[in-house]
Amino acid sequence: MNFEVKQKILNKIKEYDTIFLFRHVRNDGDCVGATKGMKALITATWPDKQVYIIDAETAKYLEFMGPEDAEMPDEAYAQALGIVLDTASQARISNKKYTLCPYLIKIDHHIPLEPYGDLQWVEEERSSCCEMVVDFYQTFRDQLVLNSEGATHLYTGMVTDSGRFKYDGVTGETLRCAAALLDVGVDTQTLYARLYLEAFEYLKFKAAIYERMQITPNGVAYIFVDKAMQAEFNLNLEQSSAVIGNLDAIRGCISWIAFIETGDEQNAIRVRLRSRFVHINGIAEKYHGGGHACASGATVYSLDEMDALLRDTDALVKEYKETHEGWL
């Protein structure tokens, strides 16, 4: 069945001279890599096609991947194919002009929250949306051209969304897709330096994380990065959100959460939830979010709601530990 869907996607790409690629708000390596990788794949195969990615928001740590395209008039959208990548729901699509496209395709690896678009290709078991784009390339390798720039974009999304290939969901197919990109040409040393080298001041922030983090009675590690802490270490929202990656290796903690105060007019607190073994996406969905079984995001709007989310997660972890073995 997926082959038939991929064939229809290929046919639609061939049909349109202009294509707009869309992704989710609060962009990350996967959605940026998937859109930029798909753009490189299309333009290398069909140089005469016009492909645009228009997104006012770019995470600072991904700026090395290059700028986005300038805004286009509504008339351009009205004659173009739209492809939304790595976005489970319409509410999370960053460029709202996707509605102007006469035909819309959804390519995504998240747990489906809602159907949208005229054609959908969703594989929630995939480790990243970039992996799906690579699979698309390999399925039609006799018809498509991928250069090293596109391969690097796609590899960036794969490596960041899989936690350098260590998260749940990484399979043999994931590594075969990564190998295909390396065969095309990816300078991994430069890429890893851009992604993972840290400023000395940020290392001081990491030290503060370990001093201030807390653990619930049943083993949920968490930290609240409030505006005062952000100001103390001169952090932007993306740098603050990256704190979640520092809580994943605590023995006995099979779930970990970062709360990031945004300081917006709604008093929103961004929540990043991660877990090992236990599925926490239900918690995220209860608190204005969603995502993968073991990697989700949510939003709370008060300290009381933050405490409620923590209690719910702690209860979930308690139940899991009482009914399962081998959770380390």
Side-chain angles (χ1 to χ4, degrees):
M1 177 179 176
N2 281 340
F3 176 80
E4 295 177 359
V5 173
K6 287 183 280 188
Q7 183 66 65
K8 290 178 180 179
I9 292 173
L10 179 64
N11 291 342
K12 282 296 177 181
I13 292 173
K14 289 179 177 179
E15 178 183 337
Y16 282 83
D17 294 326
T18 303
I19 301 169
F20 283 87
L21 303 177
F22 303 92
R23 59 198 186 206
H24 61 72
V25 295
R26 298 178 181 174
N27 53 45
D28 57 17
D30 190 26
C31 75
V32 175
T35 47
K36 287 184 176 291
M38 180 64 86
K39 177 177 180 177
L41 182 63
I42 295 171
T43 55
T45 305
W46 298 281
D48 292 336
K49 291 187 183 294
Q50 302 299 311
V51 184
Y52 301 100
I53 305 169
I54 298 171
D55 191 342
E57 173 193 89
T58 300
K60 189 173 181 61
Y61 79 101
L62 298 171
E63 288 179 349
F64 72 89
M65 298 178 73
E68 312 307 338
D69 298 304
E71 182 58 270
M72 297 291 291
D74 291 357
E75 292 77 13
Y77 291 88
Q79 302 176 30
L81 172 66
I83 305 177
V84 184
L85 296 106
D86 196 39
T87 311
S89 64
Q90 295 179 83
R92 286 181 55 77
I93 301 174
S94 62
N95 182 355
K96 300 306 180 183
K97 291 187 178 182
Y98 74 91
T99 58
L100 301 176
C101 295
Y103 197 93
L104 192 68
I105 296 171
K106 174 186 179 182
I107 301 176
D108 187 38
H109 73 123
H110 294 92
I111 296 170
L113 295 179
E114 64 177 9
Y116 67 84
D118 302 285
L119 182 61
Q120 300 178 58
W121 175 26
V122 178
E123 293 189 25
E124 61 186 82
E125 70 276 8
R126 293 281 188 173
S127 69
S128 66
C129 189
C130 282
E131 181 181 332
M132 296 177 68
V133 178
V134 180
D135 174 74
F136 180 75
Y137 159 66
Q138 295 204 102
T139 300
F140 303 108
R141 200 163 186 165
D142 59 332
Q143 303 178 59
L144 299 174
V145 177
L146 182 65
N147 55 29
S148 61
E149 178 186 17
T152 300
H153 291 322
L154 293 169
Y155 193 85
T156 300
M158 289 189 69
V159 76
T160 54
D161 231 37
S162 68
R164 286 179 263 187
F165 305 110
K166 70 178 182 180
Y167 292 160
D168 184 41
V170 172
T171 65
E173 182 61 20
T174 305
L175 298 181
R176 282 186 285 273
C177 287
L181 297 177
L182 293 174
D183 287 342
V184 172
V186 179
D187 180 356
T188 55
Q189 291 302 304
T190 299
L191 175 61
Y192 291 150
R194 285 170 168 166
L195 286 173
Y196 302 120
L197 290 182
E198 296 172 335
F200 180 65
E201 290 302 317
Y202 189 76
L203 292 177
K204 293 181 179 179
F205 170 58
K206 289 178 70 173
I209 292 169
Y210 295 123
E211 289 181 350
R212 304 181 194 186
M213 71 179 187
Q214 299 181 63
I215 299 175
T216 65
N218 294 293
V220 179
Y222 68 96
I223 187 166
F224 180 33
V225 185
D226 59 14
K227 296 303 292 184
M229 190 175 186
Q230 293 172 42
E232 179 183 354
F233 294 98
N234 193 29
L235 302 172
N236 59 34
L237 194 59
E238 293 303 324
Q239 291 170 318
S240 302
S241 297
V243 66
I244 191 67
N246 299 293
L247 304 177
D248 65 347
I250 304 169
R251 187 174 296 276
C253 294
I254 61 172
S255 180
W256 49 102
I257 305 175
F259 297 96
I260 315 299
E261 188 176 18
T262 64
D264 64 15
E265 59 186 19
Q266 295 179 303
N267 296 316
I269 299 171
R270 180 187 294 189
V271 187
R272 303 192 73 183
L273 301 98
R274 300 291 185 268
S275 65
R276 185 180 301 108
F277 308 124
V278 61
H279 291 180
I280 42 75
N281 57 294
I283 300 288
E285 290 166 8
K286 181 178 178 180
Y287 291 92
H288 324 290
H292 303 289
C294 295
S296 294
T299 306
V300 295
Y301 295 95
S302 68
L303 295 181
D304 287 342
E305 196 174 14
M306 184 175 79
D307 289 340
L309 186 152
L310 266 177
R311 288 194 300 271
D312 286 347
T313 310
D314 187 62
L316 179 67
V317 168
K318 181 178 186 292
E319 179 185 6
Y320 185 90
K321 287 183 175 182
E322 290 175 346
T323 55
H324 294 77
E325 296 179 353
W327 45 263
L328 303 177

